[in-house]
């Protein structure tokens, strides 16, 4: 049975997510703002959920309706056979609603109308009401209203897939896991890992970039530990099939573990962050294949060649008042301790990128939360250094 669905993602990841969904068997795959429309066989959706490194949520489209007023909304929601969407009577219900029109101008109110319609229908049938919960109900519903057109979806992921489950505690400013995955894809890490490159993060924090990089290098299913009421109670979910997918993913991982020979190394001068990174890597059973070091950059030596350096240095006074000194130390380390490497550095503006002292080969826009940032790719070798006039005493731009 072919299902029409929408996968949500952070802005600027749409094209990468489109490619990922195509590889995982999607049809009619079309980018939209912060998401991708696609069709897929119902039986293949759990595989997409287990293997997507980039999606936030997967939502199955239930229908589109003209909707101007409260009654249109109530009638449209009542027209869906909610009880047939779950394998058993849903114990819990979660709802989200976005969008307005002149009459339905409060999305909280629209969500209440949607809830009343679903609960009334389920009560008529089962004589019991599901408990309304904030997230990941056994039945999770999303309504979106735009230009008087209502789209209704069943959210079969329940919560965002970027929460892989390996990160127990947050450090200062961790990257979301799917943003880290997108950064690594743009930096060419999947191909470089096949060539046994080393992955190095000199300001690794809780290690998100390296742990995602480890997952890619060792073909680890990003969402193998994913647990969700919404998915497990979805009408097309099959427990045996999920276990088969888990077995298959374990085989793939074991095989890739034998193959990948690179090293994954992280450094940070914040002790607590390194402790967290170590804990997180234990969750992935990475053993000693990833090493995290609490040390200053000046003493950090990396392998002589085949290095991809990735970094998300600090910026913005909220995170670190003297963040400029971190960028200077990074520039000094690249110039003095790195003989040959490719680097992918997340930079908030041109002047900090310029401070690093290398010409960039490509750059990509991402959003870290709401903050626009550029990923800049550069070759770290002497021939690629920016030339600065001898007597220049000011910073550009
Ligand atoms: C934005 S955070 C990195 C977050 C990381 N990507 C994550 O997902 O957890 C920047 C990190 O750079 C580290 N840092 C700043 N200056 C440093 C330096 N000179 N040497 C080593 N680490 C540094 C900070 O301690 C902080 O953990």
């Amino acid at each position: 049975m072919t299902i029409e669905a929408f996968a949500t993602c952070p802005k600027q990841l749409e094209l990468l997510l489109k490619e990922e969904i195509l590889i995982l068997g999607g049809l009619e795959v079309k980018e939209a703002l912060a998401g991708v429309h696609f069709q897929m066989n119902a039986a293949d959706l759990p595989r997409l959920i287990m293997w997507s490194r980039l999606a936030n949520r997967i939502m199955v489209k239930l229908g589109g309706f003209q909707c101007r007023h409260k009654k249109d909304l109530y009638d449209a929601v009542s027209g869906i056979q909610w009880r047939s969407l779950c394998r058993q009577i849903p114990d819990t219900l979660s709802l989200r609603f976005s969008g307005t029109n002149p009459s339905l101008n409060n999305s909280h109110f629209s969500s209440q109308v949607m809830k009343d319609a679903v609960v009334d229908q389920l009560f008529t049938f089962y004589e019991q009401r599901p408990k309304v919960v904030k997230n990941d109900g056994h039945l999770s519903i999303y309504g979106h209203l735009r230009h008087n057109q209502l789209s209704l979806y069943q959210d079969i992921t329940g919560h965002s897939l970027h929460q892989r489950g390996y990160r127990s505690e947050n450090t200062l400013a961790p990257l979301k896991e799917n943003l880290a995955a997108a950064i690594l894809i743009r930096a060419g890490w999947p191909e470089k890992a096949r060539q046994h490159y080393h992955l190095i993060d000199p300001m690794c924090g809780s290690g998100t970039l390296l742990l995602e990089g480890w997952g890619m290098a060792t073909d680890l299913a990003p969402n193998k530990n994913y647990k969700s009421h919404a998915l497990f109670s979805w009408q097309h979910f099959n427990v045996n099939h999920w276990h088969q997918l888990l077995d298959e993913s374990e085989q793939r991982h074991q095989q890739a573990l034998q193959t990948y020979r690179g090293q994954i190394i992280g450094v940070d001068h914040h002790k607590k962050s390194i402790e967290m990174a170590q804990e997180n890597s234990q969750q992935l059973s990475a053993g000693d294949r990833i090493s995290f070091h609490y040390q200053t950059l000046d003493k950090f030596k990396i392998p002589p060649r085949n290095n991809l350096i990735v970094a998300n240095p600090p910026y913005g006074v909220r995170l670190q008042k003297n963040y400029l000194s971190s960028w200077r130390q990074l520039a000094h380390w690249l110039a003095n301790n790195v003989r040959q490497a490719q680097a992918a550095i997340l930079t908030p503006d041109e002047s900090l990128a310029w401070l690093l002292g290398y010409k960039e080969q490509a750059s990509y826009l991402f959003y870290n939360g709401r903050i626009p940032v550029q990923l800049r790719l550069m070759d770290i070798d002497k021939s690629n250094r920016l030339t600065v006039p001898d007597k220049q005493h000011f910073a550009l731009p």
Side-chain angles (χ1 to χ4, degrees), residues 330-336 338 354-361 379-388:
L330 180 60
H332 188 265
W333 177 75
L334 288 171
N336 296 293
V338 179
W354 179 81
L355 203 71
L356 295 176
Y358 292 87
K359 291 176 212 153
E360 68 189 48
Q361 266 68 53
D379 286 336
I380 308 300
D381 70 45
K382 283 207 177 95
S383 64
N384 199 41
R385 280 197 67 82
L386 282 171
T387 44
V388 182

Side-chain angles (χ1 to χ4, degrees), residues 166-172 174 206 272 275-277 279-280:
Y166 61 71
R167 211 157 61 180
S168 42
E169 218 187 318
N170 279 349
T171 176
L172 291 174
S206 61
K272 181 93 174 85
E275 285 166 5
M276 275 185 234
E279 271 173 38
N280 293 341

